[in-house]
Amino acid sequence: MTDFFKGIPQIIYEGPQTDNEFAFRHYNPDELVMEKSMKDHLRFACAYWHSLAWPGGDPFGGQTFERPWFGDTMELARLKADTAFDMFQILDVPFFCFHDADVRPEGANYAENTRNLEAIVEYFGEKMEATGLQLLWGTANLFSHRRFMAGAATNPDPEVFAFSAATIKSCMDATHKLGGQNYVLWGGREGYETLLNTDMGRERAQAGAMLQMVVDYKHKIGFDGTILIEPKPQEPTKHQYDYDVATVYGFLKDFGLEGEVKVNIEQGHAILAGHSFEHELALARELGILGSIDMNRNDYQSGWDTDQFPNNVPEMALAFYEILRAGGFTTGGTNFDAKLRRQSLDPEDLILAHVGGMDACAAGLKAAAAMLEDGKLEAAREERYAGWDSEAGKALLSSDLASIEKQVREKDINPLPRSGRQERLENLVNRYL
Ligand code: 3MF
Ligand code: MG
């Protein structure tokens, strides 16, 4: 153990009545929900970048956090790793996620970056072996360094494309070596600031070519995890190409990769795209591309990607309802892509933020399972569409306009509007919370 979390106890389940802040009220890892443990349903992961690498800056001010591992040496990177694993163990999360740039010092060039990454991957390997922690996903940070300011795959300069491809290879190698269950691509700078200097057709083709190379390399090295794209509409670019689930699906279809790549859906990104989280999850489920989630919460007024820890149980319930309807996670999980507010300086804040987030997810999961097991919501939905299960309903979709017109005339089809019963269903949902 490092000193950073000194005095903070191991977090265990004590139940809803406990007065102990440092305990779970709802997350009981081994408790069965729909015949599966909560641990296996939720598959919680901590994100290295927000919790260990982010210094607490905002557009108007710099670093607020003082952490003993801040700095650009291998020794400090190891201290960061030690502290990270202390945190994962205090919280008893089974997984973590990282970008290359979160975990290693920035080198002078690609070769040095990769050497640094490989050394840390070695160190992670030992720590994972000793603790049983697993890697949910790895990824490349292709957005922070200034060389990526005009994009990675979609950059007008082919040398940036090459640097990015090499970096992705090194991060896929790292993920594969650590037994990662997914590899994520978030294209923070894959978009544009102004159309005046942008060739959108070329940039889209470059992104398609890069994704094809990622898929080819996955097969080449025998990585059996899932490749995931993380949609986001904007921020940092004004317009990002992976706008939302529907846009990503269109892109995947265009390049014939819809059977190879799924999505990592983030709550806050859904909100920025003008959707609800459950909309994005439900659509991905219907399209067969639901992979994993980045769990957080956005401020609904600011319009920024505020990456707050989730604490809204009714929202979590509707999200996990869609995940349960999809059959649950396979390689995916619940990654806390969430950061402290910049005034939350203390080590305790970092632990308690995760405790609250894990409890909100667990309470949401339990409510979602109760809704699904009770079956009332699904019965109401089925009843609404029952006409489509009749012979006449089924025949319609393979008919043609002229035959349907004849039928409407002959049978004098004259439909009566029926209530959508929204408020009744909203009342029903509240009964499970
Ligand atoms: C940005 C994000 C990212 C992604 C991560 C994956 C920095 O809004 O959500 O976090 O989750 O970069 O590459
Ligand atoms: Mg994210």
Side-chain angles (χ1 to χ4, degrees):
M1 271 292 233
T2 63
D3 282 347
F4 189 68
F5 293 115
K6 205 164 159 193
I8 299 181
Q10 174 71 41
I11 311 296
I12 56 167
Y13 174 75
E14 291 186 5
Q17 309 312 328
T18 186
D19 206 28
N20 181 5
E21 281 184 296
F22 291 90
F24 296 121
R25 286 169 173 69
H26 300 284
Y27 180 58
N28 188 8
D30 296 323
E31 184 181 323
L32 296 185
V33 173
M34 292 176 78
E35 291 164 20
K36 194 158 103 179
S37 71
M38 294 178 82
K39 181 177 176 180
D40 290 343
H41 268 293
L42 292 161
R43 294 167 58 82
F44 283 130
C46 286
Y48 220 91
W49 51 102
H50 284 319
S51 289
L52 295 134
W54 183 61
D58 73 7
F60 304 93
Q63 178 171 349
T64 57
F65 298 150
E66 285 173 350
R67 307 296 196 215
W69 58 84
F70 280 173
D72 243 1
T73 65
M74 282 304 288
E75 197 191 333
L76 290 172
R78 284 197 188 87
L79 176 62
K80 194 199 287 189
D82 293 342
T83 318
F85 276 72
D86 286 350
M87 180 177 98
F88 307 155
Q89 284 185 281
I90 289 171
L91 292 166
D92 192 23
V93 291
F95 295 103
F96 71 108
C97 301
F98 69 89
H99 303 82
D100 52 350
D102 306 334
V103 301
R104 55 119 178 92
E106 190 67 39
N109 57 16
Y110 172 75
E112 197 185 337
N113 278 350
T114 308
R115 254 197 323 278
N116 290 348
L117 179 64
E118 282 167 359
I120 286 294
V121 163
E122 202 68 42
Y123 197 55
F124 278 173
E126 290 162 20
K127 294 178 114 23
M128 289 166 72
E129 180 89 35
T131 58
L133 262 139
Q134 289 177 274
L135 180 63
L136 186 65
W137 48 263
T139 187
N141 178 331
L142 302 177
F143 45 88
S144 293
H145 194 280
R146 65 196 288 272
R147 73 172 66 85
F148 303 117
M149 68 182 185
T154 62
N155 203 289
D157 180 351
E159 289 199 344
V160 179
F161 183 100
F163 195 101
S164 306
T167 303
I168 291 174
K169 178 197 171 287
S170 69
C171 291
M172 288 180 75
D173 287 341
T175 304
H176 186 40
K177 183 149 191 216
L178 295 173
Q181 305 209 2
N182 307 270
Y183 183 81
V184 167
L185 299 148
W186 172 62
R189 307 233 178 240
E190 313 291 25
Y192 63 82
E193 298 301 327
T194 171
L195 273 179
L196 298 178
N197 65 9
T198 301
D199 184 336
M200 213 194 290
R202 265 184 199 273
E203 294 200 359
R204 220 170 157 271
Q206 288 168 216
M210 183 72 91
L211 188 59
Q212 183 67 59
M213 289 181 206
V214 168
V215 168
D216 290 346
Y217 191 65
K218 164 193 155 143
H219 292 303
K220 185 175 167 189
I221 60 176
F223 175 62
D224 58 10
T226 312
I227 304 291
L228 301 170
I229 288 184
E230 183 172 322
K232 186 175 181 184
Q234 81 271 332
E235 207 194 318
T237 54
K238 173 179 160 51
H239 182 101
Q240 194 168 311
Y241 296 133
D242 301 335
Y243 196 96
D244 59 2
V245 169
T247 311
V248 168
Y249 189 69
F251 177 82
L252 293 177
K253 285 290 261 192
D254 199 10
F255 291 91
L257 292 170
E258 71 275 16
E260 293 277 6
V261 178
K262 293 185 171 165
V263 281
N264 180 41
I265 303 175
E266 178 167 324
Q267 203 272 3
H269 297 180
I271 306 302
L272 289 178
H275 302 303
S276 65
F277 191 29
E278 61 270 23
H279 164 93
E280 291 289 80
L281 295 166
L283 182 58
R285 189 195 62 239
E286 295 298 342
L287 297 171
I289 57 167
L290 177 53
S292 198
I293 61 173
D294 267 8
M295 197 59 259
N296 57 26
R297 168 171 59 104
N298 260 16
D299 183 285
Y300 281 103
Q301 284 80 45
S302 73
W304 294 342
D305 185 13
T306 55
D307 286 333
Q308 290 162 260
F309 278 86
N311 72 351
N312 187 326
V313 177
E315 284 185 353
M316 299 294 87
L318 294 180
F320 281 104
Y321 190 72
E322 297 304 331
I323 289 163
L324 290 177
R325 284 183 74 205
F329 293 126
T330 52
T331 62
T334 305
N335 169 47
F336 288 108
D337 193 355
K339 59 177 182 264
L340 295 172
R341 299 308 87 196
R342 68 197 291 270
Q343 298 179 51
S344 303
L345 302 177
D346 300 339
E348 285 84 353
D349 294 322
L350 202 46
I351 299 298
L352 292 175
H354 283 92
V355 170
M358 290 165 79
D359 258 347
C361 290
L365 172 75
K366 283 194 276 188
M371 280 196 270
L372 206 57
E373 281 181 321
D374 209 19
K376 289 199 174 78
L377 202 55
E378 286 321 296
R381 195 194 316 263
E382 266 170 43
E383 206 256 323
R384 188 161 183 242
Y385 290 87
W388 286 101
D389 295 330
S390 69
E391 287 312 312
K394 281 185 203 156
L396 268 181
L397 293 181
S398 49
S399 188
D400 60 87
L401 292 185
S403 315
I404 295 176
E405 195 230 23
K406 191 163 166 262
Q407 208 183 321
V408 171
R409 282 181 189 283
E410 282 171 2
K411 296 191 181 157
D412 190 18
I413 291 176
N414 197 3
L416 287 177
R418 294 159 56 205
S419 172
R421 300 177 169 176
Q422 181 168 335
E423 296 76 8
R424 283 170 76 163
L425 297 172
E426 286 167 351
N427 295 352
L428 175 63
V429 167
N430 273 357
R431 283 199 236 158
Y432 301 94
L433 296 171

